[in-house]
Amino acid sequence: MTNSAKDVALSLSLLALSAVWTWLVIDTIPTGWGHGDIGPRAFPMVLGIILGGLCILLLIRTYLLGRTPAGKAGTGDVDAIEEASSERWGSMILVAVEISAYGFLLQKLGFLIATPILILFVLVIHLRLRSWKTILGMTLGMTLGCWLFFEKLLGIYLANGSWFNIG
Amino acid sequence: MEIFLQALASAMTPMAIASIGLGALIGLIFGSIPGLTFTVALALALPITFSMDPVPAIGLLLGTYIGGMTGGSVSAILLGIPGTPSAAATVLDGHPMTKQGNASIALGTAVIVSVFGGVFSLIVMIVSVDLVSRVAISFGPAEIFALVLFGLSTICGLCGGSLIKGLISGALGLMIMTIGIDTIDGVQRMTFGSVNMMQGVNLLVAMIGLFAVPFIIEAFAVKTSMPEKSQRISRVKAELPSIGLLGRNLWLMIKCSVMGTGIGAIPGTGGAIASFLAYDHAKRFSKKPESFGKGNIEGVVAPETANNAVTGGTLIPLLSLGIPGDPATAIVLAGLMIHGITPGPALFMNHAGEVYGMYVAVVLAYLWVLGLQLMGIRLFVHVLKIPRELLAVAVLVLCAIGAFSIRNSVFDIYAMGAIGVAAYVLVSFRVPITPIILGMVLGPTLENEFRTAMMLSMGDPEIFYSSPTVLIFFSLALLVIGLQAVSEFKAKKQPKNEVKADA
């Protein structure tokens, strides 16, 4: 995908988001009472309209005038992604699944069971590591290390499971 | 003088020195782990102080506060994930320095300038507590709104290649923070009836998602698609910054310390605003503004000096008026009151000894932080020896713990994942994500102060142009936007001129 095509796709999707956002804000949030009460609706509504306006500006700039803003994600951002590949999108989806599954397992099985499952899955399935020393070291080290340090030493509550509870 | 000597004696007991050191260590640990803030550390440390004497007890709390403020820079520089919102601006140049193999110089500089900013603000506090507290308290909602608007104008300097994309990013950040229960009217906004959505998006959860999740995705993607490219983040060197380097940045440190102390003295502002304003100031007045974002040491010096100068600034309204500027100082206030020290105008008459003891404790806390961090740098940089994908696995677990522990809610882990994936998509479309953080940090204050000001004036907008302070901040915001527009225009014109010259 070229930079121009990316910008068109970005502005159209954010334009749709701003339209839905503004509509939902108007539909669900009440206005103020007057006499200086700006009300809870004003800011989100104005922000939705501003976002829409900016997206239209980006669209005009890219699509009609044929200008593409400089191709850099911005100063100091997390590694600007050089090229989007199917592996990158695949990895993104897999990480999203892993985080969601970890949240679910944490609630049901607790920290001490959910964490080794997550680490094992990531190392063996996602990263395809085959060194059993590394896999065991990471899985047990991270789980027990975090449990001892956070829960036992610092007294921070780590989740207990609703199905099992061995913490 | 006699009272001061007594206070010095009470602050220099082994018990007091050890408790300040313990506080600094706890603060450093909590500050350096994304999601675990020094506010949490202070809440955990408060019960420990119940049985202690006043000076060691307050020393423990102040040590935790100062250690936490400084510790945020460790993960910001090493991993590109700020430990606290105040360290978000440090990522911009601190992490690129790590990639260039200069992690230890960045870390060393960060801790030294932090100590400078903190001690500078303490001196300002001692000398001018009366005057500064009077000026700071005169800031009403309109003045704070104007200050925050000025802070938002720094988005222009963080846009990278495209001003429009930077503004889109900032608008997204502001929008995210309107989700949840409206703090003024108590109305639900964009919650879709979900109990979890009612508490809104937590700033720390969003920050972890924005910075950590894209790092994790990228590390895993590189390992699976290009195993030969998967390697350590950078070369590891354990060098400290030279005196010459610090000397060259002395003027910048002084300016950022003044900025941080002033902003810290205004209740409801805080380290994040100070550090972004200082970063923008450093970039604007630098001889090499184009090198910002690529590992310029000034980009570490400015935010770290300013956010630590905030610590002294926040103590001004706390001690002289009993007004805490942020949740962390509210816990310090609770600690003071538990030990029978009631801040306010009579504090210096009734508890002069304890107040002088606190001043000594702040200096000791910074000495502890300096010692612990300088010793720790040799240890911290070894994190970079770990292969990137294994580091990402550890970061994934630590960030999930951090997100969960903020409110003991699994929903925050889901929110972290969703925001992180959205951030990755935005970065792949070359949208800068730093303005999102700025929008999220400043958004709630911007809205609340604007609405409060309008309520106070019964809807009359005159409140925004009748105060000289407001007009000054509005003018500064316009100046920043104007300067950015001019520099963009010049940058666009330059290639055209070069083409003509070539022809």
Side-chain angles (χ1 to χ4, degrees):
Chain A
M1 205 189 247
T2 62
N3 282 346
S4 300
K6 270 185 181 178
D7 285 348
V8 171
L10 175 78
S11 47
L12 286 177
S13 29
L14 287 179
L15 191 62
L17 173 80
S18 75
V20 172
W21 171 276
T22 312
W23 174 70
L24 280 172
V25 165
I26 294 171
D27 198 44
T28 58
I29 304 175
T31 53
W33 301 101
H35 299 287
D37 181 18
I38 295 296
R41 183 197 281 183
F43 256 75
M45 190 180 73
V46 169
L47 288 169
I49 294 168
I50 289 175
L51 180 68
L54 288 168
C55 291
I56 291 170
L57 268 179
L58 182 65
L59 198 64
I60 292 171
R61 186 177 161 143
T62 317
Y63 192 66
L64 296 180
L65 302 179
R67 271 192 219 161
T68 309
K72 188 176 176 298
T75 46
D77 277 323
V78 185
D79 303 324
I81 298 159
E82 305 273 321
E83 54 194 66
S85 60
S86 56
E87 283 87 357
R88 281 196 156 89
W89 295 120
S91 189
M92 185 188 81
I93 293 165
L94 215 48
V95 169
V97 170
E98 283 156 5
I99 292 174
S100 310
Y102 186 50
F104 177 77
L105 292 176
L106 213 52
Q107 210 170 18
K108 300 295 176 194
L109 305 177
F111 179 81
L112 281 175
I113 301 178
T115 307
I117 293 175
L118 170 83
I119 299 175
L120 269 178
F121 182 86
V122 172
L123 294 179
V124 178
I125 310 286
H126 192 160
L127 296 175
R128 292 177 214 139
L129 275 192
R130 292 296 173 260
S131 158
W132 283 102
K133 269 188 199 168
T134 313
I135 293 169
L136 270 179
M138 276 294 288
T139 309
L140 293 178
M142 277 302 295
T143 308
L144 292 175
C146 287
W147 182 69
L148 288 172
F149 183 72
F150 290 108
E151 179 128 356
K152 295 297 161 193
L153 188 69
L154 298 179
I156 292 169
Y157 169 73
L158 299 175
N160 287 330
S162 56
W163 290 348
F164 297 107
N165 179 18
I166 59 167
Chain B
M1 191 64 192
E2 197 182 319
I3 299 172
F4 178 75
L5 289 175
Q6 277 175 3
L8 192 66
S10 64
M12 296 300 271
T13 58
M15 176 64 183
I17 293 172
S19 54
I20 295 165
L22 178 69
L25 185 66
I26 294 174
L28 275 173
I29 293 169
F30 274 74
S32 59
I33 299 173
L36 296 182
T37 60
F38 53 88
T39 311
V40 177
L42 278 164
L44 291 171
L46 188 61
I48 304 172
T49 67
F50 289 167
S51 58
M52 294 164 88
D53 288 336
V55 173
I58 304 304
L60 179 76
L61 295 176
L62 287 172
T64 310
Y65 179 46
I66 288 164
M69 190 65 97
T70 320
S73 63
V74 177
S75 54
I77 290 168
L78 291 181
L79 304 173
I81 305 164
T84 58
S86 309
T90 311
V91 173
L92 302 176
D93 278 275
H95 192 53
M97 282 187 75
T98 297
K99 286 181 184 165
Q100 293 159 10
N102 296 321
S104 59
I105 293 181
L107 284 169
T109 307
V111 66
I112 292 169
V113 300
S114 295
V115 173
F116 180 89
V119 175
F120 183 97
S121 69
L122 177 74
I123 295 167
V124 172
M125 187 191 96
I126 294 169
V127 174
S128 62
V129 64
D130 220 34
L131 176 76
V132 178
S133 62
R134 250 183 281 155
V135 174
I137 205 65
S138 70
F139 271 58
E143 283 80 9
I144 297 180
F145 168 76
L147 170 68
V148 171
L149 199 70
F150 170 49
L152 264 182
S153 69
T154 59
I155 283 180
C156 299
L158 300 169
C159 287
S162 163
L163 185 63
I164 296 179
K165 285 186 179 177
L167 293 174
I168 286 176
S169 176
L172 284 171
L174 288 165
M175 283 163 72
I176 291 169
M177 289 316 268
T178 61
I179 297 170
I181 289 191
D182 166 42
T183 48
I184 292 180
D185 287 311
V187 171
Q188 291 188 37
R189 300 195 293 193
M190 308 300 274
T191 59
F192 307 104
S194 158
V195 177
N196 289 313
M197 293 282 279
M198 278 162 72
Q199 53 191 351
V201 178
N202 185 281
L203 174 64
L204 287 163
V205 171
M207 210 173 66
I208 298 171
L210 285 169
F211 288 98
V213 175
F215 166 79
I216 295 164
I217 296 171
E218 197 56 12
F220 289 176
V222 170
K223 170 69 183 170
T224 48
S225 61
M226 292 168 278
E228 69 286 354
K229 267 197 174 183
S230 174
Q231 49 185 270
R232 290 159 183 88
I233 288 177
S234 72
R235 290 167 287 129
V236 176
K237 280 191 282 181
E239 267 176 55
L240 289 177
S242 65
I243 294 173
L245 187 147
L246 295 169
R248 282 195 297 278
N249 289 295
L250 185 65
W251 180 231
L252 178 65
M253 283 153 67
I254 293 171
K255 285 189 289 181
C256 294
S257 298
V258 173
M259 204 181 277
T261 311
I263 291 171
I266 303 165
T269 51
I273 299 178
S275 56
F276 273 110
L277 278 174
Y279 181 86
D280 190 63
H281 169 82
K283 185 179 176 183
R284 218 162 277 290
F285 292 93
S286 171
K287 286 174 188 161
K288 293 178 196 166
E290 70 287 349
S291 66
F292 272 70
K294 294 171 188 158
N296 188 326
I297 192 72
E298 291 171 41
V300 175
V301 170
E304 279 305 308
T305 314
N307 68 23
N308 277 276
V310 163
T311 56
T314 48
L315 289 178
I316 296 174
L318 180 77
L319 295 183
S320 59
L321 304 161
I323 299 171
D326 52 34
T329 39
I331 298 173
V332 176
L333 175 67
L336 286 168
M337 294 174 88
I338 284 165
H339 288 88
I341 305 166
T342 311
L347 177 72
F348 295 88
M349 280 190 291
N350 300 335
H351 298 283
E354 283 84 353
V355 173
Y356 290 137
M358 280 171 62
Y359 293 163
V360 179
V362 170
V363 176
L364 283 177
Y366 273 110
L367 289 177
W368 267 110
V369 164
L370 187 69
L372 286 170
Q373 283 232 55
L374 288 182
M375 276 194 302
I377 285 173
R378 290 174 196 282
L379 202 72
F380 297 150
V381 289
H382 289 288
V383 166
L384 305 176
K385 283 183 177 170
I386 302 169
R388 204 171 180 228
E389 65 280 3
L390 294 185
L391 195 63
V393 176
V395 167
L396 175 61
V397 175
L398 288 175
C399 288
I401 292 173
F404 176 81
S405 66
I406 294 168
R407 298 187 281 210
N408 289 343
S409 162
V410 172
F411 176 77
D412 284 336
I413 296 180
Y414 299 137
M416 175 193 88
I419 291 171
V421 168
Y424 189 77
V425 173
L426 285 176
V427 173
S428 70
F429 279 84
R430 296 171 192 278
V431 175
I433 56 170
T434 316
I436 297 184
I437 280 289
L438 200 60
M440 294 184 76
V441 168
L442 302 180
T445 318
L446 186 83
E447 182 184 3
N448 290 341
E449 299 301 334
F450 178 78
R451 287 170 62 185
T452 312
M454 288 300 275
M455 265 190 257
L456 285 174
S457 69
M458 299 293 282
D460 187 355
E462 195 195 333
I463 194 168
F464 294 111
Y465 51 82
S466 57
S467 155
T469 316
V470 174
L471 291 175
I472 288 170
F473 283 128
F474 279 163
S475 312
L476 285 171
L478 279 175
L479 186 72
V480 167
I481 295 166
L483 285 173
Q484 184 64 30
V486 169
S487 69
E488 272 214 8
F489 181 71
K490 275 184 186 167
K492 267 179 206 148
K493 223 177 164 186
Q494 217 167 358
K496 279 183 192 168
N497 292 343
E498 277 168 17
V499 171
K500 271 183 193 170
D502 289 344

